Amino acid sequence: MAEEEFGIRGGEVAIPLPENTDAGVYFLGRIRTPWTRREQCPKNARESDAVCTIEVDPRYAAGLQGVESCSHLLVLYWMDRSRRDLVLQAPRHYGEVLGTFALRSPARPNPIAVSVVRLQEVAANLLSVVGLDCLDGTPLIDIKPYFASTDSVPDAVVGWRKATKD
Amino acid sequence: MAEEEFGIRGGEVAIPLPENTDAGVYFLGRIRTPWTRREQCPKNARESDAVCTIEVDPRYAAGLQGVESCSHLLVLYWMDRSRRDLVLQAPRHYGEVLGTFALRSPARPNPIAVSVVRLQEVAANLLSVVGLDCLDGTPLIDIKPYFASTDSVPDAVVGWRKATKD
């Protein structure tokens, strides 16, 4: 009963988190998307070609110099509406219980998402990008150039997904 | 003079950071690598085929279930020995001043690195991986499955790098 209240499904396991965190992050801006409720968000980012806007806090805007020359970026953001204590999860669309580190679920000890986006435009402190699937207002943590030489692995395999989905 | 003491090179710009951070991260373990000083680290991860070990704190080890089925992972770690206030940087190996968000430099407001690694083995709470270039003892922040469908963009371009390097 109490477990259900806290959103635990059968087979899921929560752990006690440490009393204190070890380091602090700054929110560097906000991400503007068309989605205000979780059920509206695309299941994964390639399902949508919606153009989203990354609003970088003017304090950090000088850090965008050179970003306009990148075709793709890594965007890190803080999924601030998820519980952080699950180690085993039962995603609704798979039959299986899996470890948090085998999933891209927002529920994780450090709720930081990594998304690869295609950059459309940089205008002052605003970036127009395609490839996000997060809620409107999500806090921005970082932007990095995407280097195909180190970041692209076309033949990577996620075995559990193959077994459950193909 | 003072600037040089704090490691600022010509053209680099530091900003005042906010007084407080906005959210906290837990260190989930440590990364064991052969490199104990920054100058020993490979310039980028594909330069080295050293096998590194990710030690996941036993508290979180149940979260590894299913990870063994992944050929590649995203590893997020905390680069705790870098200044966080640079928005413009002059990387030693390029002639140009570039924004922090156009660089993978460890000096950034949130010193979180994202590396793509090839998984060799999972044994209890230890992961053997190839593709890291960080210092020994670096704090682990997250592990995620690498999905080629969303994470791999073989033809991505970083224009400033092309101009300065090719």
Side-chain angles (χ1 to χ4, degrees):
Chain A
M1 189 82 128
E3 283 187 353
E4 273 172 33
E5 275 171 31
F6 286 98
I8 286 205
R9 289 191 280 263
E12 294 194 332
V13 172
I15 53 159
L17 288 169
E19 211 161 307
N20 298 113
T21 52
D22 297 293
V25 297
Y26 300 108
F27 293 167
L28 310 186
R30 295 277 164 179
I31 299 177
R32 297 296 160 200
T33 78
W35 310 294
T36 53
R37 284 173 299 124
R38 189 176 291 180
E39 59 273 23
Q40 299 173 327
C41 293
K43 268 278 161 298
N44 84 59
R46 293 244 170 137
E47 269 182 29
S48 166
D49 54 6
V51 179
C52 301
T53 304
I54 301 173
E55 298 178 358
V56 177
D57 187 317
R59 180 193 294 265
Y60 305 102
L64 293 172
Q65 188 171 312
V67 164
E68 73 287 344
S69 76
C70 301
S71 69
H72 292 75
L73 301 168
L74 292 175
V75 177
L76 277 61
Y77 52 89
W78 190 262
M79 299 173 289
D80 53 356
R81 305 202 214 164
S82 300
R83 58 186 297 162
R84 300 175 65 168
D85 60 352
L86 291 184
V87 286
L88 287 173
Q89 302 186 44
R92 225 177 300 255
H93 41 299
Y94 296 110
E96 214 175 328
V97 171
L98 285 157
T100 293
F101 304 123
L103 294 166
R104 294 289 272 263
S105 161
R108 50 204 317 118
N110 294 310
I112 299 167
V114 177
S115 283
V116 179
V117 303
R118 180 162 51 80
L119 178 63
Q120 288 210 324
E121 199 190 356
V122 184
N125 65 323
L126 305 181
L127 280 69
S128 304
V129 304
V130 175
L132 290 173
D133 58 6
C134 61
L135 288 166
D136 185 47
T138 296
L140 174 72
I141 296 292
D142 203 4
I143 298 170
K144 302 175 187 292
Y146 182 97
F147 288 120
S149 57
T150 48
D151 298 323
S152 178
V153 185
D155 57 352
V157 173
V158 175
W160 66 257
R161 197 193 210 188
K162 221 169 174 154
T164 55
K165 231 192 163 182
D166 285 359
Chain B
M1 187 81 126
E3 282 187 353
E4 273 171 33
E5 275 171 30
F6 287 98
I8 287 203
R9 289 191 281 263
E12 295 193 331
V13 171
I15 54 158
L17 289 170
E19 211 161 308
N20 298 112
T21 52
D22 296 293
V25 296
Y26 300 108
F27 293 167
L28 310 186
R30 295 276 164 182
I31 299 175
R32 297 295 161 202
T33 78
W35 309 294
T36 54
R37 284 174 298 123
R38 190 175 289 179
E39 59 273 23
Q40 300 173 326
C41 294
K43 269 278 162 301
N44 84 58
R46 294 245 169 138
E47 269 181 30
S48 166
D49 54 7
V51 179
C52 301
T53 304
I54 301 174
E55 298 178 358
V56 178
D57 187 316
R59 181 194 292 267
Y60 305 102
L64 294 172
Q65 187 172 312
V67 164
E68 73 286 345
S69 77
C70 301
S71 69
H72 292 76
L73 301 168
L74 293 175
V75 177
L76 277 62
Y77 52 89
W78 190 262
M79 299 173 290
D80 53 355
R81 305 204 214 162
S82 301
R83 59 186 297 161
R84 299 176 65 168
D85 60 351
L86 292 184
V87 286
L88 287 172
Q89 302 185 46
R92 225 177 299 254
H93 42 298
Y94 297 109
E96 215 173 326
V97 171
L98 285 157
T100 293
F101 303 123
L103 295 166
R104 293 289 273 261
S105 159
R108 50 204 318 120
N110 294 311
I112 299 168
V114 177
S115 283
V116 180
V117 303
R118 181 161 51 80
L119 178 63
Q120 288 210 323
E121 199 191 355
V122 185
N125 65 322
L126 305 179
L127 279 70
S128 304
V129 304
V130 175
L132 290 173
D133 57 6
C134 61
L135 288 166
D136 185 48
T138 296
L140 173 71
I141 295 292
D142 203 3
I143 299 171
K144 301 175 188 292
Y146 183 98
F147 289 120
S149 56
T150 47
D151 299 323
S152 177
V153 184
D155 56 352
V157 173
V158 175
W160 65 257
R161 197 193 212 189
K162 226 174 170 147
T164 55
K165 231 195 163 180
D166 287 359

